[in-house]
Amino acid sequence: MGWTRVRSEQEIFTLPPRATALEAAQALAQRNVGAVVVAGPDGKPQGIVTDRDIVTRVVAAGLDAREVALEKIMTSKLVTALEGQDHPADIAVLMSEKGIRRVPIVAADGRVTGIVTFDDLITLYGHGMSCLSHAVARQKMAKSQP
Amino acid sequence: VRIRDIMTVPVASCGAQNNLATVAELLWRNDCGIVPVVDETGRVDGVVTDRDVCIAVGTKGRPAGEITVSEIPGKKLYTCYPDDDVSMIFDRMSSGRVRRLPVVDKAGKLLGIVSINDLILRATPDGAKGVSDAQVMRVLRAVCAHEESVKKATRKV
């Protein structure tokens, strides 16, 4: 199954590297999301900044959010998945291996087109996993009956 | 399994008069995502998360050191008791769509905190340690559901 985006109603949102932490915090509040992808004019992702990054790398460090550029606080070792090629299960494996909860999706030309979060995958797989566990429970019940 | 068996103690806390720069430092130093807010007697009044701090900085138009915890919009507080059975927190986390619960005594005083991570780390396929994978998955599904999905589901009902 190829795929593009788990959460279709969520438009991918990017900010340029020179945008400030304050602008990112405002965007996270307005869009009710937990992370912003930092991308250059070519649309290629350079890093990611989460709400927690802003708290621990700006506020806790005593810096002024109006003056700190995202390129100074972003996580730049970015793990991405390829649109239309990587399966959600591949992304779950990436999250497990790298200990991350958000994976930006990039097109073949390198432009960022979406993001998949831990919550997205739980929502996607949760129902199926519950059904499977019920199936096992029912099977055990059937076997235990005379 | 009781909450006391899996809760984290001690837990950092703050007061309503503390500023958000102080809270951010607590979140960073303690490597946690939530700090309970307690009054002068130690009773829990609310919680502040790392996201709350970020959103306040983004929307208040003032530096974090000039915003107090009391300015963060209040939200419904979900707590539990140390002697509660662990199964109780499945329902409470699911219905409140929260990932952590402050643990309080009968007077409401802060004793510790229990997080969904504590459940995940304890879960086994057969629930031998009091928490099964299926139970954790149900809680995660409820907590992780997107706001829009919850609203849609509510409208359908």
Side-chain angles (χ1 to χ4, degrees), chain A residues 86-100:
Chain A
D86 286 321
H87 188 278
D90 299 325
I91 297 174
V93 171
L94 273 179
M95 288 183 182
S96 165
E97 286 176 350
K98 308 287 182 185
I100 54 176

Side-chain angles (χ1 to χ4, degrees), chain A residues 71-142:
Chain A
E71 62 190 351
K72 299 286 185 193
I73 58 165
M74 67 186 184
T75 298
S76 49
K77 276 188 182 173
L78 206 53
V79 177
T80 59
L82 197 55
E83 180 179 85
Q85 188 161 325
D86 286 321
H87 188 278
D90 299 325
I91 297 174
V93 171
L94 273 179
M95 288 183 182
S96 165
E97 286 176 350
K98 308 287 182 185
I100 54 176
R101 286 170 173 253
R102 297 175 178 91
V103 175
I105 308 298
V106 294
D109 62 3
R111 283 180 306 106
V112 60
T113 58
I115 189 164
V116 173
T117 68
F118 174 85
D119 288 12
D120 293 330
L121 294 185
I122 289 289
T123 304
L124 180 70
Y125 285 125
H127 181 63
M129 294 304 290
S130 295
C131 289
L132 288 174
S133 64
H134 284 142
V136 172
R138 290 183 74 116
Q139 193 181 29
K140 278 186 178 171
M141 273 174 61

Side-chain angles (χ1 to χ4, degrees), chain B residues 135-155:
Chain B
Q135 286 171 314
V136 167
M137 185 52 80
R138 276 198 290 276
V139 179
L140 276 172
R141 273 183 70 200
V143 172
C144 292
H146 300 129
E147 201 73 49
E148 305 85 30
S149 317
V150 173
K151 280 182 190 159
K152 275 181 201 163
T154 311
R155 277 202 292 274

Side-chain angles (χ1 to χ4, degrees), chain A residues 7 9 22 25-26 28-29 32-34 51-52 54-56 59-60 65 101 119-120 122-123 126-127 129-130 133, chain B residues 20-21 24-25 27-28 31-33 50-51 53-55 57-59 63-64 99 134 137-138 140-141 144 146 148:
Chain A
R7 193 177 174 187
E9 65 264 44
L22 180 64
Q26 288 168 337
L28 296 179
N32 197 28
V33 293
D51 44 16
R52 184 168 176 83
I54 293 172
V55 173
T56 57
V59 181
R101 286 170 173 253
D119 288 12
D120 293 330
I122 289 289
T123 304
H127 181 63
M129 294 304 290
S130 295
S133 64
Chain B
L20 298 192
E25 194 173 341
L27 292 166
W28 177 58
D31 192 25
C32 59
D50 44 13
R51 180 164 180 84
V53 175
C54 176
I55 300 301
V57 167
T59 57
R99 292 165 198 253
M137 185 52 80
R138 276 198 290 276
L140 276 172
R141 273 183 70 200
C144 292
H146 300 129
E148 305 85 30

Side-chain angles (χ1 to χ4, degrees), chain B:
Chain B
V1 177
R2 305 279 166 193
I3 302 295
R4 66 168 71 254
D5 300 323
I6 62 169
M7 69 183 188
T8 298
V9 285
V11 56
S13 63
C14 68
Q17 76 289 351
N18 285 138
N19 68 55
L20 298 192
T22 304
V23 174
E25 194 173 341
L26 280 174
L27 292 166
W28 177 58
R29 285 194 184 284
N30 293 284
D31 192 25
C32 59
I34 196 168
V35 177
V37 184
V38 298
D39 67 13
E40 56 281 357
T41 68
R43 280 173 53 94
V44 180
D45 278 339
V47 293
V48 184
T49 66
D50 44 13
R51 180 164 180 84
D52 291 333
V53 175
C54 176
I55 300 301
V57 167
T59 57
K60 298 284 184 192
R62 285 175 281 143
E66 295 174 14
I67 305 170
T68 62
V69 168
S70 59
E71 292 180 69
I72 290 179
K75 43 190 179 286
K76 188 167 166 48
L77 176 64
Y78 296 89
T79 60
C80 59
Y81 297 123
D83 288 328
D84 283 337
D85 188 84
V86 74
S87 59
M88 190 281 290
I89 60 176
F90 298 142
D91 294 336
R92 195 149 297 175
M93 285 182 177
S94 299
S95 58
R97 298 184 64 225
V98 292
R99 292 165 198 253
R100 308 108 165 170
L101 298 173
V103 185
V104 298
D105 66 14
K106 294 295 178 193
K109 290 186 178 174
L110 181 65
L111 297 175
I113 201 151
V114 61
S115 112
I116 200 164
N117 291 356
D118 299 321
L119 300 178
I120 292 170
L121 293 173
R122 201 175 180 93
T124 57
D126 60 358
K129 292 192 218 165
V131 182
S132 73
D133 289 346
Q135 286 171 314
V136 167
M137 185 52 80
R138 276 198 290 276
V139 179
L140 276 172
R141 273 183 70 200
V143 172
C144 292
H146 300 129
E147 201 73 49
E148 305 85 30
S149 317
V150 173
K151 280 182 190 159
K152 275 181 201 163
T154 311
R155 277 202 292 274
K156 276 179 196 163
V157 174

